[in-house]
Amino acid sequence: MIHKYKLNGYNICLDVHSGAVHVLDDAAYDILDYCDENMTENPPEAMFSALSGKYDRDELTETYEALYELYEMGQLFSPDDYEKFADMMTKAPVKSMCINISHDCNLRCEYCFAAKGDFGQGRCLMSIETAKKAIDFIIANSGTRHNLEVDFFGGEPLMNFKVVQQTVEYARSIEKQHHKNFRFTLTTNGLLLDDEKMEYLNREMANVVLSLDGRKEVNDKLRVTPGGKGCYDIIVPKYQKLISQRSKDKDYYIRGTFTKYNLDFTNDILEMRKLGFDQLSIEPVVSDPKLDYSIKYEDLPVVFEEYERLANTIIESRRKGDYYNFFHFMIDLNQGPCAIKRLRGCGCGNEYVAVTPQGDIYPCHQFVGNEDYKMGNLNDGTFNTDMKMQFARANVYSKDNCKNCWAKFYCSGGCNANNFQYEGDIKKSHKTSCELEKKRLECAIMIKAALAESGDSSACDGEDCIVEVCH
Amino acid sequence: MKAGKHIKTLNSNLS
């Protein structure tokens, strides 16, 4: 299977099952319409008949030979023989956990999927006893996995900062005896950041996700206090201070949400950049389609155009020497995750779970509060392994819309929570999310093509872009 | 990157 498309003046072809990416001239791009999984050494006559008015016969023959060479090398129309790996990891241990350390929040963001902080379960904070049980649970259920990950989430985690500190201290005190290595992350709205918390987060958290929607008028329209006031002026100086003191070997993301109200979200990315941040993310809102600010299928042409504008803005900036990273355009064409990981996706409900202040266990943070998907409880020791297996088997080959999709090794079957929220079935892909992901991938690959053309070695993921004539 | 007259291949093992 191949996927070919034109974008920003580039003719691009992705060979799905090898991962090879080719940039083609017009003749090669057109010839591909007359090729399939059964290419032969001799060019098809239909190709000459259809394209002889556009290209001369010698050029068509020469170009076809170059394509056939790729076919012979397994880099064009390569076969799909991955399904046998799809169930390889169904017995994977739990290695990653979202600890909802707080089901309370000091903001009332209109679009919050956590029902403005409490996930519809009443406002409360996790006790250190429950947090310790969460750490014990992941150690006990992680098998031989060495690297374990815990994300402090909510609600607003800094409303329960003392328990965050105690949880980290507890995990660090027992990790070596269990041959584990914990990696902690935390997501915050920034309101409660002070010097003590900044120093702590910069020391203990491998990644911090800092919520900001971009421009002040955009951020303050939906990210408001219980009294209805915006938070931009409070949080931006705190984020700037935190990042200025953060070691370069630790990650951070300024993470925003875009809605129907700011479909010109490139301007929000540029605002983040102007504020001095360089690790940036902005994502489409997940919400009831009936709400005014929701992004609907009919909005996609506008969103696509905006992703293209953002891609071109990034290329232009890079060529001027200004580097910033956009999370959803990150793609490693040379390696990235192994095919096994790509087949099974984020690990939700299988390798990854979320726990609530009450000790309830859910497949991920977006399922919290849905009683049908409660997997167990830390206090009574229950854990539904049948449900774990249900999620383990939700891979790209068990999802009808995914198995023959060109993007399957990049989106990995999409988000189970989005599928459930919009389609009522974790295996039924949400069409709008799919189209958005495919557009982001097309843009990400095009950026690589554009940067390779201008000799930017990062386009080849650190390899020198040595030009070697081979076709 | 490998570049020919008609085709440039941007990458080199889909592991």
Side-chain angles (χ1 to χ4, degrees):
Chain A
M1 188 197 315
I2 63 165
H3 174 63
K4 67 175 195 133
Y5 64 99
K6 291 175 179 278
L7 185 57
N8 200 25
Y10 297 95
N11 300 328
I12 294 171
C13 171
L14 166 69
D15 183 56
V16 174
H17 298 116
S18 70
V21 176
H22 312 291
V23 181
L24 313 169
D25 69 6
D26 287 341
Y29 189 84
D30 289 344
I31 288 171
L32 278 177
D33 290 336
Y34 302 91
C35 303
D36 60 19
E37 281 76 5
N38 302 303
M39 285 183 80
T40 57
E41 197 167 359
N42 298 317
E45 275 307 318
M47 174 192 84
F48 290 119
S49 307
L51 299 176
S52 58
K54 203 170 173 184
Y55 311 100
D56 69 41
R57 192 175 180 92
D58 286 349
E59 184 178 11
L60 286 170
T61 303
E62 182 184 80
T63 309
Y64 182 87
E65 285 171 358
L67 289 168
Y68 184 70
E69 186 182 340
L70 287 175
Y71 174 76
E72 288 281 274
M73 291 163 64
Q75 294 185 355
L76 195 65
F77 295 110
S78 59
D80 180 357
D81 51 9
Y82 293 93
E83 190 160 7
K84 63 191 174 197
F85 297 106
D87 280 339
M88 185 174 152
M89 299 296 288
T90 50
K91 291 180 179 172
V94 178
K95 64 181 287 288
S96 186
M97 176 181 276
C98 181
I99 296 185
N100 281 7
I101 204 86
S102 166
H103 273 197
D104 196 359
C105 192
N106 43 8
L107 286 182
R108 297 290 184 271
C109 305
E110 284 295 328
Y111 51 60
C112 181
F113 70 74
K116 301 187 180 179
D118 72 352
F119 292 83
Q121 298 186 324
R123 298 188 181 279
C124 61
L125 303 177
M126 184 178 281
S127 68
I128 182 57
E129 290 75 22
T130 301
K132 283 181 174 178
K133 285 177 185 171
I135 295 297
D136 292 341
F137 175 89
I138 192 171
I139 287 176
N141 286 276
S142 57
T144 58
R145 292 286 184 274
H146 176 63
N147 294 320
L148 305 182
E149 293 151 349
V150 169
D151 182 38
F152 294 104
F153 196 60
E156 172 49 46
L158 296 185
M159 292 180 78
N160 200 10
F161 183 58
K162 193 76 190 164
V163 175
V164 170
Q165 291 175 297
Q166 291 171 329
T167 308
V168 171
E169 185 181 10
Y170 175 68
R172 291 282 180 236
S173 73
I174 60 172
E175 64 181 352
K176 283 194 171 51
Q177 72 190 72
H178 293 286
H179 310 292
K180 304 295 182 186
N181 173 51
F182 276 95
R183 180 181 183 274
F184 292 103
T185 64
L186 184 142
T187 301
T188 179
N189 64 32
L191 279 181
L192 292 175
L193 283 171
D194 57 25
D195 287 351
E196 179 205 4
K197 294 186 182 75
M198 288 182 204
E199 189 277 327
Y200 182 83
L201 297 181
N202 280 339
R203 177 162 40 89
E204 296 292 348
M205 299 295 148
N207 185 25
V208 287
V209 180
L210 308 169
S211 299
L212 173 72
D213 283 354
R215 290 163 291 178
K216 177 178 164 68
E217 64 273 22
V218 170
N219 185 83
D220 287 355
K221 186 178 178 77
L222 297 175
R223 299 188 65 79
V224 294
T225 65
K229 294 181 72 173
C231 59
Y232 180 97
D233 290 335
I234 300 170
I235 61 176
V236 165
K238 295 183 179 196
Y239 290 166
Q240 288 171 319
K241 186 170 185 181
L242 186 150
I243 299 309
S244 72
Q245 297 170 345
R246 192 163 176 80
S247 162
K248 295 296 178 199
D249 64 349
K250 290 182 184 287
D251 296 330
Y252 79 91
Y253 281 97
I254 299 292
R255 192 272 188 216
T257 297
F258 71 83
T259 71
K260 182 82 170 267
Y261 299 154
N262 63 317
L263 294 179
D264 60 344
F265 52 84
T266 297
N267 294 332
D268 295 298
I269 289 291
L270 290 173
E271 171 77 0
M272 294 172 184
R273 183 67 190 123
K274 197 172 76 180
L275 293 169
F277 306 122
D278 61 5
Q279 301 299 315
L280 314 176
S281 177
I282 193 162
E283 302 186 19
V285 68
V286 174
S287 66
D288 183 335
K290 295 188 195 77
L291 295 167
D292 284 350
Y293 55 74
S294 71
I295 292 170
K296 302 174 183 65
Y297 194 77
E298 55 264 35
D299 296 320
L300 289 182
V302 178
V303 179
F304 288 175
E305 201 173 306
E306 193 62 15
Y307 273 128
E308 289 182 23
R309 186 164 86 95
L310 177 57
N312 281 314
T313 302
I314 288 170
I315 292 165
E316 202 176 304
S317 298
R318 287 290 289 275
R319 285 176 174 162
K320 290 176 182 167
D322 181 21
Y323 177 88
Y324 53 92
N325 182 36
F326 179 65
F327 180 72
H328 273 135
F329 287 168
M330 288 166 65
I331 189 168
D332 180 346
L333 294 180
N334 277 328
Q335 186 185 15
C338 66
I340 309 296
K341 169 74 173 171
R342 292 168 189 247
L343 288 174
R344 64 181 204 272
C346 69
C348 150
N350 181 29
E351 296 173 287
Y352 173 65
V353 295
V355 297
T356 70
Q358 295 84 3
D360 291 330
I361 305 169
Y362 289 91
C364 88
H365 53 284
Q366 287 198 81
F367 280 101
V368 168
N370 183 329
E371 289 300 300
D372 291 341
Y373 279 93
K374 192 160 93 173
M375 299 181 78
N377 185 280
L378 297 172
N379 297 310
D380 63 19
T382 53
F383 187 52
N384 185 338
T385 52
D386 290 341
M387 192 181 295
K388 182 177 185 293
M389 186 58 78
Q390 179 191 341
F391 278 90
R393 288 188 169 139
N395 59 64
V396 297
Y397 287 98
S398 67
K399 296 177 178 177
D400 289 340
N401 295 336
C402 300
K403 64 174 73 168
N404 295 316
C405 173
W406 67 266
K408 63 185 174 187
F409 285 124
Y410 299 90
C411 92
S412 303
C415 172
N416 290 325
N418 283 2
N419 292 349
F420 180 76
Q421 155 119 2
Y422 289 110
E423 305 293 343
D425 184 344
I426 64 170
K427 289 188 178 178
K428 193 172 178 187
S429 54
H430 174 230
K431 195 172 180 185
T432 303
S433 298
C434 286
E435 296 303 319
L436 287 167
E437 178 65 7
K438 286 191 272 195
K439 185 63 187 180
R440 290 191 292 250
L441 282 168
E442 287 185 341
C443 289
I445 293 170
M446 183 277 288
I447 290 172
K448 293 285 189 186
L451 295 178
E453 184 182 62
S454 52
D456 184 330
S457 66
S458 67
C460 304
D461 303 304
E463 291 185 358
D464 290 333
C465 287
I466 296 168
V467 175
E468 170 192 335
V469 176
C470 68
H471 302 306
Chain B
M1 182 172 76
K2 296 177 180 175
K5 183 177 173 186
H6 304 284
I7 306 164
K8 293 174 186 168
T9 298
L10 288 183
N11 56 347
S12 52
N13 53 2
L14 198 54
S15 81

